[in-house]
Amino acid sequence: ATQGYTSPLIYVSGDKLLYLSRKIQQTAALAVSTLLLSTLSLPTWSLIESTDTQRETMIEMIDQLEQRHYAKHRYDDELSSQHLDSYIDSLDRAKMFFTAADLAEFEKYRTAMDEQLHEGNLEAGYVIFNRFQQRLEDRLEEVIETLPEQVAAMDFTVDETFPIELDEWEWAETPEELDDRWRRRVKNEVLSLKLADKEKEEIAPTLEKRYQNQLKRVRQYNSQDVFQIYANALTELYDPHTNYLSPRRSENFNINMSLSLEGIGAVLQQEDEYTKVARLVAAGPADKQGELKPADKIVGVGQGADGPIEDVIGWRLDEVVELIRGPKDSTVRLQVIPAKSKAGEE
């Protein structure tokens, strides 16, 4: 996320494509994005475990938060309860994986996490994440396997809805409720492609590729990723600008501090399977161009004036950022879902 760029060009036709010219930042402005990961996992049935270093880091981090943070909050039972809710929300904000039974099982950690984390015990964070990882990977595999049949059987004359706001649903009581939510979600995505004039025979392969990409990246997550999510679910209760950075995130932070980053001038964050624009950097190419807006969702990235658009739905945030970055004065094209579009519009 940088600024100090030349004015970009824009082209709009059907799907929204934004052409942005990159230029090296020469200003002291600093933009740090917050990583909110919601669709994470590992290889099938491969449990993720914490390391000794992470356990030591958690003890030190809590000590620093309690002793040096201006908020002066003690990590006690009350904050432990908030931490549990924040962590679950960061993993499954759309309520598409956990059931009410899972939430009832996780209640045993509600007032126990403070004692655990003071001792470097990361059990709660990794148990909950591994349950999420299992559900996510199983779901993606099932959707991919049944996708052609699902698409062929869809009836768009049925009067049913899929919520835009993520808090409209309560936690599902049964696995069958989750199955129905996913059926509606896939149907909504098919409808979105139809409204975007995607050819009928291309819809199922497009979605299959999208979910295959997500499953591939889901299997790349490791203990550092889990620790970062668990730690940030706590630090952000002290202050939304207080974050733990994993080694990889720390490296990106140092790049920002060097004031030599190349990009489009937008702070990005992860929301479910989408890369969302959190805000624009003043005087950056996106800001000058005037079309990219906060809360827009980036679904495709293309290099140069006519390079193919790469579908980035389900990608890791750092991978999308890496794709958007590029040489000085080069062009990148973004395909976005505008924030103010109606359901199904793109």
Side-chain angles (χ1 to χ4, degrees), residues 15-242:
D15 292 344
K16 195 170 185 181
L17 301 182
L18 307 181
Y19 290 67
L20 300 172
S21 176
R22 307 180 181 103
K23 187 178 180 182
I24 296 179
Q25 176 183 1
Q26 297 296 336
T27 175
L30 175 64
V32 180
S33 62
T34 300
L35 177 61
L36 299 177
L37 300 176
S38 59
T39 52
L40 313 181
S41 186
L42 277 184
T44 305
W45 313 121
S46 176
L47 297 181
I48 310 175
E49 298 180 349
S50 61
T51 66
D52 291 340
T53 299
Q54 289 166 347
R55 291 187 281 273
E56 294 169 2
T57 298
M58 181 60 74
I59 294 173
E60 181 179 354
M61 187 187 78
I62 291 178
D63 180 68
Q64 293 291 327
L65 288 171
E66 291 184 330
Q67 302 299 323
R68 300 192 177 187
H69 196 279
Y70 72 87
K72 301 299 182 184
H73 292 319
R74 173 74 180 171
Y75 186 46
D76 53 14
D77 285 355
E78 180 179 357
L79 205 57
S80 172
S81 177
Q82 296 177 37
H83 186 192
L84 177 64
D85 291 336
S86 175
Y87 184 50
I88 293 173
D89 185 66
S90 67
L91 293 175
D92 191 14
R93 191 154 60 100
K95 300 182 177 68
M96 297 292 289
F97 300 99
F98 291 138
T99 65
D102 292 318
L103 272 292
E105 183 179 340
F106 299 154
E107 277 298 305
K108 63 186 178 183
Y109 297 120
R110 182 163 297 280
T111 58
M113 287 161 52
D114 52 326
E115 288 88 356
Q116 289 184 350
L117 267 61
H118 275 105
E119 298 174 353
N121 182 346
L122 303 178
E123 174 192 337
Y126 282 78
V127 167
I128 293 172
F129 184 90
N130 281 314
R131 176 73 56 82
F132 172 74
Q133 168 260 328
Q134 174 188 332
R135 296 285 173 76
L136 173 56
E137 188 165 330
D138 287 349
R139 179 63 66 178
L140 290 175
E141 290 175 345
E142 179 185 3
V143 169
I144 291 169
E145 182 179 354
T146 62
L147 191 58
E149 293 78 11
Q150 283 192 63
V151 174
M154 287 178 181
D155 181 1
F156 292 98
T157 66
V158 177
D159 185 12
E160 57 184 356
T161 62
F162 183 79
I164 298 176
E165 298 298 328
L166 297 177
D167 58 356
E168 290 187 21
W169 270 329
E170 298 297 330
W171 294 105
E173 293 292 335
T174 65
E176 289 73 23
E177 283 188 54
L178 288 180
D179 291 342
D180 186 64
R181 292 181 186 185
W182 272 91
R183 179 191 63 80
R184 296 189 187 205
R185 173 175 175 168
V186 173
K187 187 175 183 179
N188 182 65
E189 292 181 338
V190 171
L191 182 59
S192 295
L193 291 174
K194 283 179 173 288
L195 293 175
D197 296 325
K198 179 70 73 174
E199 294 294 333
K200 182 178 180 181
E201 61 274 11
E202 296 179 5
I203 290 178
T206 297
L207 289 178
E208 183 175 357
K209 181 180 179 181
R210 181 180 296 176
Y211 282 117
Q212 288 283 9
N213 285 336
Q214 185 176 353
L215 183 59
K216 177 182 177 181
R217 285 159 181 81
V218 149
R219 289 170 170 167
Q220 296 174 354
Y221 282 88
N222 55 39
S223 186
Q224 288 186 6
D225 298 313
V226 181
F227 184 80
Q228 177 166 287
I229 302 167
Y230 193 36
N232 281 330
L234 171 61
T235 61
E236 291 171 5
L237 295 176
Y238 282 77
D239 174 359
H241 305 292
T242 299

Side-chain angles (χ1 to χ4, degrees), residues 9 11 17-20 302-309 330-333:
L9 303 175
Y11 168 70
L17 301 182
L18 307 181
Y19 290 67
L20 300 172
Q303 302 299 329
D306 54 8
I309 295 292
S330 63
T331 298
V332 63
R333 296 170 13 257

